[in-house]
Amino acid sequence: MHKHDLDLIASLADGSVDDETEARALVESCVECRAEYQSQLTVLELLTSTPSVMMSDLEKAALHRDLWTELRSEPAAKTPGASWYRWAYVAAGLLVTVGLAGVLSGQIPFGGAAGSDTFAEISSGLDQFAADGLEDAPSSEFDSTSGGGDDSAVTTTAAAESLPLPFPALADQARASREGAEATTQEESEKDEIDQCLERLDLADHVVVDELELDRRYLVVMAGDDAPDQTVTFVALNECEIVYTDG
Amino acid sequence: MSGDRDAFDTIMRSHEDRVFSVCLRILGDRERARDATQDTFLTVFRKADQFEGRSAIGTWIYRIAVNVCYDQIRRAKRRPSESLPDHFDPSDPAADAALESAALRPEIERALAALAPEFRNAVILSDLEGLSLPDIAEVLDVPIGTVKSRVFRGRRLLAVQLGNRNTS
């Protein structure tokens, strides 16, 4: 048999062939082809029926302990580059998905006294929900009320306190990417909505440096180019409310 | 930047089982697979700024895991006293213990171990880990056609090893 015939039969066996006609004809007309086809099916069945392997809880706990021991000795993280921006999106998406599932199923408490649902508590709850009682989750230093060095410059809403989103990291990224970049442009139909919202929030002199589609739509705004102010403000556009200020 | 570490922790917990699984399939030993898993995530953390988002993050992590396993195998070959069971010797009394820890039926594990690495790893990623051909191409840094060819040949060679087919 020619090589290409074997590949065609293999494609038929794993269902990846686009048009089965020629492959089927081969298998039906050729004894060796049929034997090859059966052999491929047998191997595939053996392999794909193999149970998946997982670490035991003890192995995971040991892994987390050893990994974080090593990471804590790493130098402090530098200001995130562009890749960490995407990293934060991925993590935020995972947290929101798992958190929403947990809230809806009643396994994760939602709300509570203002400030009580810090990221550490939510993260801890998500860890338990998503990983069935892992022992060694690292303590989170993320506090939704923290931001830059001056607490008085930071405000949050109740909505922000319950959101497991890495706003400080996103704010740093906004500052880093702002240099040399122009303000984002919006569709004409949206511009009015954005302008009205910023005016209502007394941010009319700010520019939109980015837009985020996470659990909802956020505008990332900063003072105009000439202003020395590096404060980054996150605005939930649909609700037209400030959810976080970092500066 | 604490937010970075929290994001990393979330991603690690989402992918640790898959990373461990592929390391165990390649290395055939739980302890080495656990070490390789740790090394993988250390590399992920240190090289996070190199992730450009051109592939899914899981695919990128898989690629790191496979390379970490290759590095382990190469290092072990340079230290014969700590040689990995890259090709199992059925007469080795320790072989069965290593095989059991990999959670594959012994005959399948032996047949896989007898394959050349390029075919073995292609079959592991495709048929045991369930990756798509484009993802495997990304992980192994070879064209999709090469992946397809390696997977098909790998299965054929496995069939020969398992006694399903005569060598042709």
Side-chain angles (χ1 to χ4, degrees):
Chain A
M1 268 185 292
H2 296 291
K3 182 171 179 280
H4 71 272
D5 295 329
L6 296 178
D7 283 355
L8 188 61
I9 292 166
S11 294
L12 178 67
D14 70 6
S16 62
V17 68
D18 293 328
D19 182 352
E20 292 188 357
T21 312
E22 185 184 347
R24 288 278 174 211
L26 258 181
V27 169
E28 285 163 15
S29 65
C30 165
V31 171
E32 244 194 88
C33 297
R34 198 153 49 244
E36 174 68 19
Y37 176 64
Q38 287 300 331
S39 171
Q40 288 272 335
L41 284 179
T42 302
V43 167
L44 268 170
E45 172 62 27
L46 280 172
L47 291 171
T48 56
S49 63
T50 302
S52 56
V53 289
M54 288 176 62
M55 285 183 284
S56 64
D57 286 348
L58 202 57
E59 285 173 318
K60 283 185 184 178
L63 170 69
H64 298 162
R65 177 199 63 223
D66 294 344
L67 186 60
W68 283 108
T69 297
E70 185 123 8
L71 286 177
R72 284 190 182 105
S73 64
E74 297 273 318
K78 298 184 281 291
T79 302
S83 297
W84 278 109
Y85 206 16
R86 293 188 197 88
W87 191 272
Y89 284 162
V90 173
L94 284 170
L95 281 170
V96 168
T97 303
V98 174
L100 277 174
V103 167
L104 290 172
S105 69
Q107 294 194 35
I108 298 177
F110 183 76
S116 66
D117 283 344
T118 62
F119 182 77
E121 293 169 88
I122 294 170
S123 179
S124 175
L126 289 174
D127 286 341
Q128 284 200 309
F129 172 76
D132 290 328
L134 281 171
E135 306 168 21
D136 207 16
S139 60
S140 170
E141 299 161 71
F142 183 85
D143 180 344
S144 64
T145 60
S146 73
D150 181 7
D151 283 346
S152 64
V154 173
T155 58
T156 60
T157 65
E161 288 173 344
S162 65
L163 283 176
L165 293 172
F167 282 112
L170 293 172
D172 278 342
Q173 175 55 30
R175 290 188 193 94
S177 62
R178 173 100 187 270
E179 284 180 33
E182 298 179 1
T184 63
T185 55
Q186 298 88 32
E187 296 289 337
E188 207 53 45
S189 56
E190 291 179 344
K191 203 170 181 315
D192 282 347
E193 179 192 4
I194 291 171
D195 285 346
Q196 287 170 14
C197 175
L198 292 181
E199 192 159 339
R200 199 185 319 163
L201 297 174
D202 201 22
L203 296 172
D205 58 343
H206 283 51
V207 292
V208 177
V209 297
D210 207 347
E211 293 181 30
L212 306 177
E213 292 278 354
L214 301 173
D215 60 321
R216 44 184 177 166
R217 193 166 161 214
Y218 297 95
L219 300 178
V220 185
V221 299
M222 292 182 71
D225 275 342
D226 296 332
D229 189 5
Q230 288 291 294
T231 301
V232 179
T233 304
F234 294 81
V235 174
L237 181 58
N238 291 346
E239 296 79 5
C240 190
E241 63 179 12
I242 294 174
V243 295
Y244 190 81
T245 305
D246 184 282
Chain B
M1 186 56 61
S2 60
D4 296 349
R5 291 180 189 262
D6 290 318
F8 168 76
D9 185 63
T10 300
I11 288 168
M12 177 189 66
R13 289 170 189 268
S14 302
H15 291 90
E16 59 189 353
D17 280 321
R18 294 181 71 195
V19 168
F20 177 76
S21 175
V22 74
C23 290
L24 182 57
R25 305 289 191 205
I26 292 175
L27 297 172
D29 177 84
R30 285 191 87 91
E31 193 177 327
R32 287 193 170 99
R34 213 232 61 167
D35 289 344
T37 303
Q38 180 177 334
D39 287 345
T40 297
F41 286 108
L42 282 172
T43 304
V44 166
F45 186 88
R46 290 166 183 154
K47 294 190 175 181
D49 59 348
Q50 295 178 24
F51 175 60
E52 296 176 346
R54 287 191 298 227
S55 62
I57 191 166
T59 306
W60 181 67
I61 293 174
Y62 250 120
R63 183 169 177 177
I64 293 174
V66 169
N67 287 330
V68 163
C69 291
Y70 286 167
D71 286 345
Q72 260 211 31
I73 291 171
R74 278 194 289 269
R75 279 198 306 270
K77 282 183 175 173
R78 285 199 290 270
R79 295 195 297 267
S81 60
E82 298 177 32
S83 60
L84 281 170
D86 199 26
H87 288 82
F88 288 106
D89 176 4
S91 64
D92 178 358
D96 281 346
L99 293 176
E100 282 172 15
S101 71
L104 280 178
R105 284 163 52 176
E107 63 271 26
I108 302 174
E109 188 66 36
R110 287 192 183 92
L112 267 177
L115 298 184
E118 64 266 28
F119 300 120
R120 181 171 72 247
N121 295 333
V123 169
I124 286 171
L125 291 173
S126 170
D127 299 336
L128 291 174
E129 296 300 314
L131 268 66
S132 67
L133 292 182
D135 282 347
I136 299 172
E138 175 76 27
V139 170
L140 299 179
D141 196 20
V142 296
I144 292 179
T146 303
V147 172
K148 202 171 179 181
S149 171
R150 288 182 184 178
V151 169
F152 288 167
R153 268 204 76 187
R155 290 178 193 153
R156 291 201 71 233
L157 291 168
L158 270 180
V160 169
Q161 289 292 327
L162 290 167
N164 291 349
R165 293 286 284 143
N166 295 322
T167 310
S168 56

